[in-house]
Amino acid sequence: MSPSTSSNPPLIRDAALRLFAEPGGARASVRDIATAAGVSPALIIRHFGSMEGLREAVDAHVATQIGALLEHIASDPAGAIDPHSSASFADAATRLFGDDSPLPRYLLRSLVDGGDRGAALVELVTRSSVEAWQSMIDAGAVSPGPDPRARAALVAMIDLAALALREPLGSLLGADPLTGEGAERWTAEVARMLARTSPHGASAGSEHEGNPHD
Amino acid sequence: MSPSTSSNPPLIRDAALRLFAEPGGARASVRDIATAAGVSPALIIRHFGSMEGLREAVDAHVATQIGALLEHIASDPAGAIDPHSSASFADAATRLFGDDSPLPRYLLRSLVDGGDRGAALVELVTRSSVEAWQSMIDAGAVSPGPDPRARAALVAMIDLAALALREPLGSLLGADPLTGEGAERWTAEVARMLARTSPHGASAGSEHEGNPHD
DNA sequence: GGTCACAGTAAACATTTGTTTACACTGGCC
DNA sequence: GGCCAGTGTAAACAAATGTTTACTGTGACC
């Protein structure tokens, strides 16, 4: 029997997060998770009370982690879509999500299986997007359009999709939309589309997309 | 014992589709589905061979159904985003998805749990979007932009999100994005954003969004 | 009427599941 | 050293799972 260690609860929680985020992960058993974490099934129950308790702990942790990214973006709202500071979002996303993070896939899991807690997590993301968008409207940087709510919804959807639909989007883009060059290209393209709504943007009209990084 | 009926296999398949699409539905048991379909668990195994066989049958059916919508849109590519024919997409979506269709939620399920079959279904949707977008580029109606692949990816994501993220999008929009007024508003807003990329669109420049439905 | 293919089901079966129980170990404190 | 709280585990437990088996009923055909 190994010595006692206080690192086991987070270890278990993280193993669960990884498994739950995978295809078929909703059917991961207490024994699957115990094996992945290198502990006994009974220890999971001891620390978290039940499988439901474990799921709650994972959800709470994910909310904290994703909240960190949103906090970062909220400190620089333009950073999310401004082509000149797109590196800021890309850097933050790379740092938080790396190449192998289960968080975006877990967000997707929350969308389909999360019930009330999943809906709350998704709302965390979309509310942050909508607030950032409103800040930019207030600053006069963008236009709310004839149907302001629809436009805000579109902006929020684009943000949510970049996280939750990371994999199909990555296939389409030919690069990971949350890290490195892929993140820069994605945010640049989103910025171009939204820059179209600037009240005083390009004055030449319809299509003026020379070189956004110069 | 009831009389024999050839309607039981589709009845079972549809009950399974509904259950699988719900939160927690990945854990739906053969007994849950049997109860929902009003048959015995053993009948499901008799007709589909196994639970895996049932899942395959559901996937095949969903691919057929979603293919029907894409076929409709492919016959009128502009219909997906042109504000003047947005009613065409809205009508088709309403007819296919109604108020209560499990298909969009099942697509979301496929994204997270579908493995290869899920990826194939998602590709069905995104390929169709990309092809429609390319048709519009070829027709000179829109511009590919400085990063054509990123722009096509953005268009495809918007389409995929409207289906798979129907519920959070509906909350943001304040209406269902796949039926009725909500579908019209959503497609109108998407059209406005994408019309911005027209090579010879509005010549007044930055923000010219008078009244798109007049 | 008898035979056959097919559909449908209850019961049984072997395995898996989440959880509980009983025990051992560790380290800190007196 | 003894006691205690906390950690960790193997085994046991009751329930649930997907599937198989054995049987019945139906309708078509001869």
Side-chain angles (χ1 to χ4, degrees), chain B residues 1 4-5 8 27 40 42-43 46-47:
Chain B
M1 195 172 337
S4 168
T5 171
N8 272 329
R27 299 191 74 95
S40 72
L43 190 62
R46 167 171 281 281
H47 280 304

Side-chain angles (χ1 to χ4, degrees), chain A residues 53-144:
Chain A
L54 175 60
R55 279 189 282 265
E56 286 168 9
V58 169
D59 279 344
H61 176 68
V62 168
T64 301
Q65 293 289 98
I66 288 187
L69 175 68
L70 300 177
E71 196 65 33
H72 180 98
I73 292 173
S75 69
D76 179 20
I81 67 159
D82 185 339
H84 301 299
S85 34
S86 62
S88 180
F89 171 83
D91 287 347
T94 300
R95 202 161 51 241
L96 189 63
F97 297 128
D99 283 327
D100 214 16
S101 170
L103 285 172
R105 281 198 64 85
Y106 191 82
L107 179 60
L108 184 59
R109 168 69 65 200
S110 297
L111 272 164
V112 61
D113 282 331
D116 289 347
R117 284 197 311 265
L121 182 60
V122 169
E123 204 194 316
L124 203 60
V125 174
T126 56
R127 196 188 329 110
S128 180
S129 294
V130 168
E131 284 169 4
W133 177 247
Q134 187 60 47
S135 296
M136 284 183 286
I137 291 172
D138 294 343
V142 292
S143 162

Side-chain angles (χ1 to χ4, degrees), chain B residues 132-194:
Chain B
W133 177 248
Q134 188 59 47
S135 297
M136 285 184 287
I137 291 171
D138 294 343
V142 292
S143 162
D147 189 344
R149 191 162 178 185
R151 185 160 296 179
L154 181 53
V155 171
M157 274 299 108
I158 289 169
D159 286 344
L160 181 61
L163 292 175
L165 306 182
R166 179 188 195 170
E167 283 170 34
L169 176 52
S171 298
L172 287 162
L173 193 56
D176 180 12
L178 295 183
T179 62
E181 180 224 352
E184 291 178 18
R185 287 175 56 213
W186 177 250
T187 53
E189 185 56 37
V190 171
R192 274 192 289 275
M193 283 299 194
L194 297 177

Side-chain angles (χ1 to χ4, degrees), chain B residues 33-127:
Chain B
I33 294 161
T35 300
V39 300
S40 72
L43 190 62
I44 293 173
I45 305 301
R46 167 171 281 281
H47 280 304
F48 298 96
S50 63
M51 281 294 279
E52 182 58 27
L54 174 61
R55 278 189 283 268
E56 287 168 9
V58 170
D59 279 344
H61 176 68
V62 169
T64 301
Q65 295 287 100
I66 289 187
L69 174 68
L70 300 177
E71 195 66 34
H72 180 98
I73 293 172
S75 69
D76 179 20
I81 66 158
D82 184 343
H84 301 298
S85 34
S86 62
S88 180
F89 172 83
D91 287 347
T94 300
R95 201 159 53 243
L96 189 63
F97 297 129
D99 282 328
D100 214 14
S101 169
L103 285 173
R105 279 198 65 85
Y106 192 82
L107 180 60
L108 184 61
R109 167 67 65 199
S110 296
L111 272 166
V112 61
D113 281 331
D116 290 345
R117 284 199 310 267
L121 182 60
V122 169
E123 204 192 318
L124 203 61
V125 174
T126 56
R127 197 189 326 112

